[in-house]
């Protein structure tokens, strides 16, 4: 059984992941609005990944005999200043998610809950990839100064991104 505290924190993390899905959908909408549909695709794929992250927790809570408690999803950013601004916010967002996963892992360790600890390892590893990708993409955006013809090249590159169900372990 899950402790009440871990059950609550897992539910909160599930909400964080659904919120992340919203954030990335909002970023996708921004890029569609400025006709960069390839970069919008990059964020749609990111949103799908976040949905997967949330649902993985959803099923884990149930498997552990806990209660899934869906909460209100906060409104994401809807005003972006520039393409560069979006990628800066995306990296900041991933850093926050890493912190919340680490906090959750600290609690699992404190409670000696091996199942939650093992489950969260996937997220710890995933966050390394999430931050690396967000950092690399921001780096590319900085290289082109977030504007000009370089944007069209990135639009082409990011149009190729596809969602594949992440490896479980
Ligand atoms: Fe679910 Fe992008 O972390």
């Amino acid at each position: 059984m899950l402790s009440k505290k871990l059950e609550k924190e897992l539910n909160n993390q599930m909400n964080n992941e659904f919120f992340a899905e919203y954030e990335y959908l909002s970023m996708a909408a921004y890029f569609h609005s400025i006709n960069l549909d390839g970069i919008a695709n990059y964020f749609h794929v990111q949103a799908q990944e976040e949905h997967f992250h949330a649902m993985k927790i959803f099923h884990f809570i149930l498997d552990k005999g806990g209660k899934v408690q869906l909460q209100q999803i906060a409104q994401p950013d809807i005003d972006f200043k520039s393409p560069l601004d979006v990628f800066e916010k995306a990296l900041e967002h991933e850093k926050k998610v890493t912190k919340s996963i680490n906090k959750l892992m600290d609690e699992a360790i404190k409670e000696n809950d091996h199942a939650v600890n093992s489950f969260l390892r996937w997220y710890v590893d995933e966050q390394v990839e999430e931050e690396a990708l967000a950092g690399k993409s921001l780096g590319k955006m900085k290289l082109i100064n977030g504007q000009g013809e370089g944007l069209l090249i990135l639009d082409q590159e990011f149009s190729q991104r596809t969602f594949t169900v992440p490896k479980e372990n």
Side-chain angles (χ1 to χ4, degrees), residues 2-151:
L2 286 172
S3 71
K4 280 292 153 204
K5 183 149 198 231
L6 274 176
E7 181 186 74
K8 185 166 183 282
E9 292 196 5
L10 281 163
N11 272 292
N12 288 344
Q13 186 59 35
M14 181 178 62
N15 184 265
N16 287 341
E17 303 286 354
F18 281 128
F19 174 69
E21 180 181 8
Y22 246 38
E23 282 265 277
Y24 287 127
L25 277 178
S26 190
M27 292 174 180
Y30 168 77
F31 281 105
H32 282 304
S33 77
I34 57 169
N35 302 313
L36 292 169
D37 297 325
I39 302 180
N41 170 66
Y42 171 99
F43 285 105
H44 277 295
V45 171
Q46 196 62 41
Q48 284 175 290
E49 286 201 359
E50 301 302 347
H51 186 80
F52 177 83
H53 297 167
M55 291 309 295
K56 200 170 153 70
I57 299 174
F58 177 104
H59 290 296
F60 179 75
I61 294 172
L62 289 171
D63 287 348
K64 288 288 295 169
K67 182 173 179 189
V68 168
Q69 296 173 71
L70 294 172
Q71 305 163 28
Q72 193 161 29
I73 300 170
Q75 183 176 28
D77 274 319
I78 50 169
D79 294 313
F80 298 105
K81 288 197 288 281
S82 64
L84 194 53
D85 180 42
V86 176
F87 279 87
E88 274 166 352
K89 286 187 168 143
L91 178 57
E92 269 169 40
H93 175 81
E94 287 303 334
K95 286 185 176 169
K96 273 193 214 148
V97 175
T98 300
K99 272 196 191 145
S100 61
I101 291 287
N102 287 345
K103 203 171 139 259
L104 194 45
M105 183 60 123
D106 288 345
E107 182 60 26
I109 291 168
K110 196 175 125 206
E111 292 189 21
N112 234 342
D113 189 322
H114 298 292
V116 175
N117 181 321
S118 172
F119 173 72
L120 289 175
R121 269 166 211 244
W122 185 90
Y123 287 83
V124 171
D125 295 342
E126 178 73 3
Q127 278 312 118
V128 174
E129 283 179 28
E130 291 279 82
E131 276 196 42
L133 177 65
K136 201 174 260 289
S137 302
L138 172 60
K140 286 181 184 176
M141 196 48 80
K142 280 185 174 164
L143 274 178
I144 60 161
N145 233 343
Q147 57 192 344
E149 287 168 18
L151 266 181

